[in-house]
Amino acid sequence: MGKIQAGIIPVTPFQQNCTILFDGESKEGVVVDPGGDVATIVQVVQENGLTLKEIWLTHGHIDHAGGADELREVLHIPVIGPHEADRPLLENLELQAKRFGVEMAVRNVVPDRWLNEGDTVSFGNHVFEIFHCPGHAPGHVIYVNREQAFAHLGDVLFNSSIGRTDLPGGDHATLLASIRDKVLPLGDEMGFICGHGPGSRIGDERRNNPFLKGL
Ligand SMILES: [Zn+2]
Ligand SMILES: [Zn+2]
């Protein structure tokens, strides 16, 4: 087994970081948050000779989950996550798109498996722990691989910012508690990819992110 490699494909008008995680040797992996532009995702997978095993979702917003049902159909692989608290969001993705007024192909989706705090998911030998981190969305989960100090944090924590909390089910105090109790304890050396913009390290955010002052 090789190192975990990550390829980012910005998708949807929201420029969401659809992320392909794969093993550098076996070329097997998963896709995290295929929000849309499914044809592009499939093209990247084929051009790079990758085999995707599962679709992992961090939460139920359109830019993250809008293409999951279509990609499941095209690749014949299951949709895993998020926490079931996001079921109402995922069952109304088409409505979300209308509310945002965005022109994009969106389908409602019901995952094949919901995730809970403490669950694990994997591809090859790479195991990821699940942490339930509500606040940006009620069912938001993050995916953590301790062995290679790598995490996908979705829209919980960004490079120099945090997730917005003005959408249905969002709550600022809850988000800060998730960051304080679940994300920061992962340790300063933990590197991460997030849902929008460049990734970072937990330690850099703990020291420099203005939204984390006082946590
Ligand atoms: Zn979101
Ligand atoms: Zn997002």
Side-chain angles (χ1 to χ4, degrees):
M1 278 288 160
K3 275 192 77 76
I4 298 170
Q5 312 244 353
I8 290 178
I9 310 167
V11 296
T12 80
F14 300 91
Q15 291 291 290
Q16 196 275 123
N17 290 332
C18 172
T19 305
I20 296 174
L21 300 176
F22 61 99
D23 182 275
E25 285 173 15
S26 72
K27 303 278 184 189
E28 282 183 3
V30 298
V31 56
V32 184
D33 288 356
D37 301 320
V38 167
T40 306
I41 297 169
V42 171
Q43 190 186 344
V44 169
V45 168
Q46 288 174 345
E47 283 176 358
N48 291 281
L50 305 175
T51 307
L52 296 189
K53 297 292 187 190
E54 291 174 343
I55 297 164
W56 295 354
L57 298 181
T58 62
H59 66 294
H61 287 153
I62 39 170
D63 51 330
H64 297 257
D69 191 58
E70 188 185 343
L71 191 62
R72 168 166 65 184
E73 192 176 288
V74 173
L75 297 179
H76 307 288
I77 56 176
V79 176
I80 313 292
H83 186 279
E84 194 167 4
D86 270 7
R87 180 192 280 273
L89 287 171
L90 292 165
E91 288 180 343
N92 290 286
L93 289 172
E94 291 156 29
L95 196 65
Q96 277 188 54
K98 274 203 191 103
R99 287 209 183 114
F100 277 103
V102 287
E103 288 291 325
M104 51 184 274
V106 169
R107 284 199 215 163
N108 298 336
V109 60
V110 176
D112 298 277
R113 176 187 166 194
W114 299 106
L115 292 174
N116 291 298
E117 177 90 10
D119 283 354
T120 58
V121 292
S122 62
F123 59 89
N125 283 346
H126 306 299
V127 178
F128 288 72
E129 287 173 50
I130 301 304
F131 294 83
H132 181 204
C133 293
H136 171 72
H140 200 304
V141 297
I142 61 171
Y143 296 82
V144 178
N145 177 270
R146 298 216 188 246
E147 212 166 43
Q148 298 190 23
F150 168 79
H152 197 306
L153 300 183
D155 285 358
V156 171
L157 176 65
F158 299 123
N159 185 324
S160 306
S161 188
I162 60 174
R164 60 191 284 189
T165 50
D166 57 335
L167 297 169
D171 184 77
H172 188 71
T174 304
L175 178 62
L176 289 180
S178 287
I179 294 170
R180 184 191 63 215
D181 300 338
K182 309 275 180 78
V183 177
L184 294 183
L186 297 176
D188 284 357
E189 296 310 311
M190 178 78 59
F192 68 84
I193 284 175
C194 48
H196 305 267
S200 180
R201 267 177 211 288
I202 301 289
D204 291 336
E205 297 313 304
R206 190 177 56 72
R207 284 185 289 269
N208 303 323
N209 188 321
F211 295 90
L212 304 190
K213 290 276 177 280
L215 283 191

